[in-house]
Amino acid sequence: MKKRILILSTGLLFSFSTLAQAKQNICVFDLLGKAGESYKLIEEWALASKNWDADVNLMAYQDEAKVEQDFKAGKCDAFYMTSMRARAYNKFAGSIDALGGVPSNHIAQKAISFVLDKRNKKRLVSNIGNEKYEVAGIGQIGTAYLFVRDKSINSIEKAAGKKFAILHYDQAQKIIVQRIGAVPVMADISNFVKKFNNGEVDMIAAPAYAFKPLEIYKGLGTTGTMINFPVVNVTADLIIRPDKFPSGFADHSRAWFVQQLPKTFAIVKRMEAEIPAKYRMNLSKEDQVKYQKILREGRIDLTKQGIYEPTMMTVLKKARCTVERTNFECSLSGE
C-alpha cells in the first residue's frame, strides 16, 4: 500500500513539475510584425515575466483576425491585440477605447493606470461560457485622427456621403460614421489604410503609429490632410487564460505595464511629432464642439446597448472634466 502511495505521489509531483515547466504561447498582433513597437514592448515583457515564474513563447502576427482565431483554437494561452477587438473578452478594459472618450495622451495615461490598479482586479477577470480570462496588461498605441483625401472635407456637413473605412467588427465605429452622414465601408485593421491609399474610401481614422509604416501620406497626396481632432484612443490588451500561468502572474504583469507607461507615451508623442506640419489641419472651435457632441451622444447610446461598460464611461468623463472643467459636457448628466 505504501509503495502505491509513493508511486502516486511521485507521479503527481512529476505532473506538477511538467505543468510548471510548460511554455505559455502568446499571440502578439502588430501591424509591423516583429519590427513594430507593440511587439518590442511584449518582448521586454516576456523577459520580465521570467521573474514571475513564467516561460513565454511569443508568436508574431500581422493579421489580428488570425490571432483571435488561434486563441479560440487553443494555440495561444494569451494574446495581445487592439482593445477594440479584445473588448469581447473584457468590456471594462475594452471600453477605454470608447469613441471620443479619451481626447489626449495625458488622459489616456491616467485611464490606463486606473484600469490596471489593483482596486479593479475583479473587473479585469471575465467568465465567458466555460472559459476564464484576465486582463494582464494594457499598452498605448496612440490617438487616432481623421485623415481625408480632400482637405475640402473640413466640416461635419462636408463628410456627408463620403466613404469612411471602418473596422467591420466594431459596431461603435459604424454607428458614429452613420451619425455624421458618411458611408461606412467595411475593412479590417490589415487593409483599411490600403483602401484609403487606393482611393476606395475618402476618410479613415488612424494613429500616428500607422502614418509612416503604412504610407498614409500616399493617400493624402497633395490634396489631403490630417484633421487635428482626436476621434478615438487606441490601446492594446494583453488577455490571458489565468489557469495557464503561475499564481499571481497577472498582478505582476499589470504592475509592469503601468511602470512602462511613461516610456510608451514618449514613443507615441515622438511618432505624432514626426507627422509633417504640412499635412495637419485644425478644426474650428465650433466644429470641435459639434464632433464632441456627436461622439458623446454615440457613447451614451452604445453604453445603453451594452457595447461600452458604464463604470468606465463615468471614469473617463471625470478624467476629461478634471483636465478641461469648462467643457460643455461637464455640466451635463448621462455618463
Side-chain angles (χ1 to χ4, degrees), residues 106-215:
H106 178 60
I107 293 174
Q109 191 165 343
K110 281 180 172 292
I112 294 172
S113 297
F114 169 77
V115 173
L116 297 179
D117 188 275
K118 58 186 177 183
R119 290 171 295 179
N120 289 313
K121 183 173 180 176
K122 289 183 179 178
R123 290 190 174 109
L124 298 175
V125 177
S126 308
N127 291 288
I128 303 170
N130 297 321
E131 289 271 19
K132 186 176 183 179
Y133 307 105
E134 186 165 4
V135 179
I138 300 173
Q140 174 74 351
I141 294 175
T143 301
Y145 298 94
L146 289 171
F147 290 90
V148 297
R149 287 177 60 86
D150 186 342
K151 62 184 67 174
S152 67
I153 309 172
N154 58 2
S155 69
I156 292 172
E157 291 76 17
K158 291 177 182 176
K162 299 295 188 290
K163 294 179 180 178
F164 198 128
I166 65 167
L167 303 179
H168 66 85
Y169 50 82
D170 190 2
Q171 185 68 12
Q173 291 186 38
K174 182 179 179 181
I175 290 170
I176 294 297
V177 166
Q178 289 174 331
R179 275 178 179 269
I180 64 172
V183 179
V185 175
M186 300 302 146
D188 203 280
I189 202 160
S190 59
N191 67 9
F192 78 109
V193 172
K194 195 176 293 183
K195 288 179 181 291
F196 181 73
N197 288 349
N198 292 342
E200 295 175 53
V201 296
D202 307 294
M203 308 170 68
I204 56 169
Y209 188 89
F211 185 80
K212 193 182 291 183
L214 299 186
E215 302 177 322

Side-chain angles (χ1 to χ4, degrees), residues 25 36 90 101 137 213 218 241-242 285:
N25 290 320
N90 189 279
K218 287 187 175 179
R241 289 187 170 99
K285 185 65 179 175

